[in-house]
Amino acid sequence: MKKQFGAAVKRSFDRALGYVLVAGLATGLVWGAGAAAAQENPQTAPPGQTPAAPAKPGLQKRPSQSSGQSAAQSSGQDSADTKKPEKRITPDEAKELFALVDQLMQFSSEETGLPVKSQVKRQLTSRAEVESYLKEKFDEDESAKRMQRGEIVLKKFGLLDHDFDLKPFLLDLLKEQIEAYYDSKTKTVNMLDWVDVEEQKPVLAHELTHALQDQHVDLEKWGDQTPDEVSTDYKDDIDHLSKDEMDTAREAVTEGQATAVMMDNILKPMGKSLIKDPEVVEYIKHQMVGTSDSPVMARAPLLLSESLLFPYREGLSFVQDVWMDKGQGQAFAGALDRPPSSTWEIINPREFEKAKIPMVPLMPDIHPLLDKVYKPYDIGQVGELDLHILTQLFGGESAARDLTPAWDGGIYWAGQRLSAKTPAEQASTKSISLFYLSAWKSNEAATAFAQLYAKSLGRKYSGLKKDVAAQRTLPAEAPSGTVEQVFTTDEGPVTITTRGKLVMVAESFDLPMARKLTQMVLDAQGTGDMRQARMIKPVLPGAPDRGMRTLSGGFVKLFAESGVMKAAVAPAVRLAAPSTPF
């Protein structure tokens, strides 16, 4: 949802999933894995020099169903794979790669119109060093800790199975998918000594585009502006919600631009380009799937696979459309200087071109009602990417195809019961209550989504029963036309209330509180065609963005910041094959 479903989740998964590059279309693999090492390790080669032995990545800030098989199974497969002899890049091949850096940097500059302001350092790193770095990252990095904390909210939403172990699965996924990465802290492009040279050449064009972006806007500040703190009062709620999807949208811009450059690097020797041959993009997007050599990706939950691919796939389409409509300057420097703020703009680039500002449903001050029972745990938008994942997971591709265009905004809040004291209690979804408000473009779409959501409850709760008696006691003050569904579950009541174009879901609150909360949130939206909402104001380059992240946002950010993913690169490599229809 670099963004996701849920603020804590958003921030947590924030770039972890960001650029798993399932085939080579990512912004800079491995979260900046070589930062500290690049500064301290003498094996880093200055521009133009031959590389020495691989340098150890340093610890830095930066670097899609059922939930699939268990992470334990994934680890077992990965362990078996690592026992096989692995081919390493030879010194001559490494020298060839290093010599390409300056050449590809110039190519990227010509493609993007972004000037080369300084040379980029380069180094090789080994699989063992990358894996060690990733483990350290997950054990110590604040972003990873937030991601793990947000895992419980994703399970409450039904986006991950309750028995899914996120951390080991993500580690295995990143180990499998990383192809290369640009470290924006040390200004170093890191190449992997076990990946074939021909596969790394297009990846270099991708990662060096990140270097140019970094020299233009300083990616460390530009792409990571979300606060660490959980929102605990009304003022912070509004601030977080108003900027919730910014990082996810920005990840899509940087990855989309880098992927476009990578593709043109492959296409131009064939006499083609993304602008002259726009149909190539649809071919590439359809090729961005797991391959036979990506068993972990093949069994990834829908949330993870879609979050991983989103910045490459939809980001590429976004850049291509703006490039064709407005020219190179607006597609590259323009999108960095005045970036989109939502996945809605990425998915609908013509709305971005019109400078339309996405609307966010209004969050009332819920704290007087809830804070005596709950500790605020997470808050965020449910953006268009999140909604697409949710509807596809609950109703399949047809439901996602029908409902996503009818979506008109969404927010959620999750709290943990103050009565949950022990670690075991706090780790259970039973300790979490959440509400989710979605807005739709028609009454019919709202009704369809409410029905779909109700049908999905059995996948995440046991003991599900419709409480017909409770439904007969709908509060008298509810406006005419209000439809309420009430269910009992092993984790408490669930209410789904439809009022016109709005759907309000409240899960695990006691029924009187759920009804008070529902009335408060729905009434806050006003009446008539235009509901009350808070507009997202554009943030100027370098300005602090204190927004949290959507449900998918954290993963998008995590993947994107980890480096370019194999899933994104593979289609590019296949594009150059003689059998390709282009």
Side-chain angles (χ1 to χ4, degrees):
M1 58 294 199
K2 305 176 181 179
K3 262 221 187 256
Q4 73 281 325
F5 252 164
V9 178
K10 295 176 178 185
R11 177 63 181 179
S12 313
F13 299 119
D14 228 36
R15 287 191 175 178
L17 299 180
Y19 303 35
V20 181
L21 200 177
V22 179
L25 303 176
T27 282
L29 285 184
V30 185
W31 299 323
Q39 293 174 336
E40 300 172 3
N41 198 315
Q43 296 167 338
T44 299
Q49 292 187 16
T50 302
K56 181 178 181 179
L59 197 61
Q60 308 290 348
K61 177 178 181 180
R62 204 192 143 73
S64 294
Q65 151 112 14
S66 142
S67 290
Q69 300 179 16
S70 70
Q73 292 172 301
S74 154
S75 299
Q77 177 67 46
D78 190 65
S79 175
D81 290 344
T82 56
K83 293 178 181 178
K84 298 177 182 178
E86 188 170 61
K87 181 182 177 182
R88 299 292 182 85
I89 287 178
T90 66
D92 285 344
E93 290 173 328
K95 184 176 181 180
E96 177 187 358
L97 269 179
F98 275 53
L100 278 172
V101 171
D102 293 327
Q103 175 185 334
L104 289 173
M105 189 79 165
Q106 186 59 41
F107 174 84
S108 296
S109 178
E110 293 170 358
E111 281 288 296
T112 63
L114 301 174
V116 179
K117 297 181 180 179
S118 61
Q119 289 185 309
V120 177
K121 291 180 287 186
R122 58 218 76 181
Q123 70 177 18
L124 279 177
T125 190
S126 70
R127 182 188 293 276
E129 290 162 348
V130 169
E131 292 182 359
S132 176
Y133 159 75
L134 287 174
K135 186 175 185 305
E136 284 184 85
K137 180 83 174 171
F138 270 76
D139 289 342
E140 300 176 18
D141 185 77
E142 285 302 314
S143 180
K145 291 176 183 177
R146 285 190 298 269
M147 179 183 61
Q148 292 161 32
R149 183 175 181 272
E151 179 178 353
I152 190 173
V153 178
L154 296 176
K155 291 179 176 179
K156 190 74 175 183
F157 258 103
L159 289 163
L160 295 175
D161 288 348
H162 282 218
D163 61 352
F164 184 74
D165 196 349
L166 181 63
K167 179 180 176 179
F169 190 90
L170 280 179
L171 278 169
D172 286 336
L173 183 59
L174 287 170
K175 289 175 187 177
E176 174 188 84
Q177 289 296 315
I178 287 178
E179 293 278 288
Y181 61 92
Y182 168 73
D183 180 358
S184 58
K185 251 191 176 171
T186 61
K187 316 303 180 188
T188 301
V189 61
N190 294 269
M191 295 158 282
L192 312 183
D193 75 347
W194 71 91
V195 177
D196 182 76
V197 171
E198 290 305 311
E199 188 171 338
Q200 289 205 63
K201 287 180 179 178
V203 172
L204 261 181
H206 180 106
E207 293 308 299
L208 289 171
T209 302
H210 290 314
L212 290 174
Q213 295 163 343
D214 189 28
Q215 293 179 11
H216 186 77
V217 295
D218 186 354
L219 293 178
E220 284 288 313
K221 297 178 180 178
W222 185 87
D224 188 12
Q225 305 176 39
T226 301
D228 295 337
E229 307 82 9
V230 173
S231 175
T232 58
D233 58 39
Y234 177 64
K235 181 180 178 181
D236 279 349
D237 288 350
I238 297 303
D239 186 45
H240 290 161
L241 287 172
S242 69
K243 302 166 184 172
D244 188 49
E245 283 206 305
M246 284 184 173
D247 281 358
T248 302
R250 292 182 181 203
E251 295 290 356
V253 168
T254 55
E255 293 308 320
Q257 291 180 351
T259 300
V261 172
M262 177 176 70
M263 293 305 173
D264 264 356
N265 181 254
I266 293 172
L267 289 169
K268 290 206 167 179
M270 302 161 59
K272 300 180 180 295
S273 74
L274 292 179
I275 300 303
K276 291 194 304 180
D277 306 275
E279 68 278 4
V280 173
V281 168
E282 288 306 312
Y283 171 81
I284 290 296
K285 288 169 63 176
H286 284 107
Q287 294 294 313
M288 288 188 193
V289 294
T291 59
S292 59
D293 63 342
S294 300
V296 183
M297 178 67 173
R299 60 176 179 270
L302 184 67
L303 172 66
L304 301 192
S305 61
E306 286 299 298
S307 297
L308 183 150
L309 289 172
F310 175 78
Y312 302 105
R313 190 177 56 205
E314 268 57 57
L316 176 60
S317 288
F318 172 85
V319 171
Q320 183 193 41
D321 285 348
V322 177
W323 197 350
M324 294 181 69
D325 294 346
K326 300 294 184 178
Q328 180 195 62
Q330 290 301 310
F332 292 94
L336 293 172
D337 294 338
R338 294 169 297 281
S341 60
S342 68
T343 58
W344 174 75
E345 293 164 275
I346 295 296
I347 296 170
N348 303 280
R350 266 72 192 208
E351 303 300 325
F352 167 75
E353 291 173 7
K354 297 173 186 175
K356 287 195 175 181
I357 299 174
M359 305 293 285
V360 181
L362 182 64
M363 175 75 78
D365 187 358
I366 59 175
H367 294 277
L369 175 63
L370 300 179
D371 284 2
K372 292 181 181 179
V373 183
Y374 295 95
K375 173 178 63 177
Y377 196 86
D378 191 19
I379 186 173
Q381 289 186 47
V382 178
E384 185 163 351
L385 170 61
D386 298 331
L387 187 280
H388 182 87
I389 294 171
L390 203 62
T391 52
Q392 183 174 343
L393 182 59
F394 291 171
E397 292 184 6
S398 62
R401 184 173 57 251
D402 294 342
L403 285 172
T404 302
W407 166 91
D408 204 22
I411 57 175
Y412 77 94
W413 180 91
Q416 187 166 61
R417 290 185 176 275
L418 296 173
S419 58
K421 302 294 186 181
T422 68
E425 290 173 335
Q426 293 174 353
S428 170
T429 54
K430 292 182 179 181
S431 72
I432 298 293
S433 296
L434 66 80
F435 70 81
Y436 163 34
L437 172 70
S438 60
W440 300 87
K441 294 176 181 175
S442 70
N443 293 6
E444 293 75 17
T447 298
F449 179 73
Q451 293 172 346
L452 177 66
Y453 202 98
K455 290 178 181 178
S456 76
L457 294 176
R459 64 180 290 119
K460 58 181 180 177
Y461 295 119
S462 60
L464 177 71
K465 293 181 181 180
K466 198 156 192 175
D467 193 339
V468 179
Q471 289 181 181
R472 296 196 187 104
T473 63
L474 179 67
E477 61 270 23
S480 174
T482 300
V483 177
E484 180 189 61
Q485 301 178 70
V486 183
F487 302 86
T488 58
T489 77
D490 63 322
E491 295 190 11
V494 174
T495 63
I496 303 176
T497 306
T498 307
R499 184 192 293 180
K501 300 177 184 178
L502 301 172
V503 179
M504 173 72 173
V505 179
E507 304 187 34
S508 301
F509 298 97
D510 64 61
L511 188 56
M513 180 174 284
R515 284 174 165 169
K516 289 180 182 178
L517 184 61
T518 295
Q519 183 174 340
M520 178 185 297
V521 175
L522 290 177
D523 287 351
Q525 310 312 310
T527 58
D529 292 336
M530 293 298 293
R531 67 187 185 280
Q532 294 184 43
R534 179 178 178 87
M535 293 190 300
I536 298 177
K537 297 180 179 179
V539 175
L540 297 176
D545 168 7
R546 294 185 53 78
M548 292 296 277
R549 291 176 171 75
T550 56
L551 293 174
S552 58
F555 288 119
V556 172
K557 189 176 180 70
L558 171 64
F559 289 138
E561 291 188 342
S562 295
V564 66
M565 300 297 132
K566 182 191 296 186
V569 172
V573 174
R574 289 196 292 269
L575 188 64
S579 59
T580 300
F582 300 102

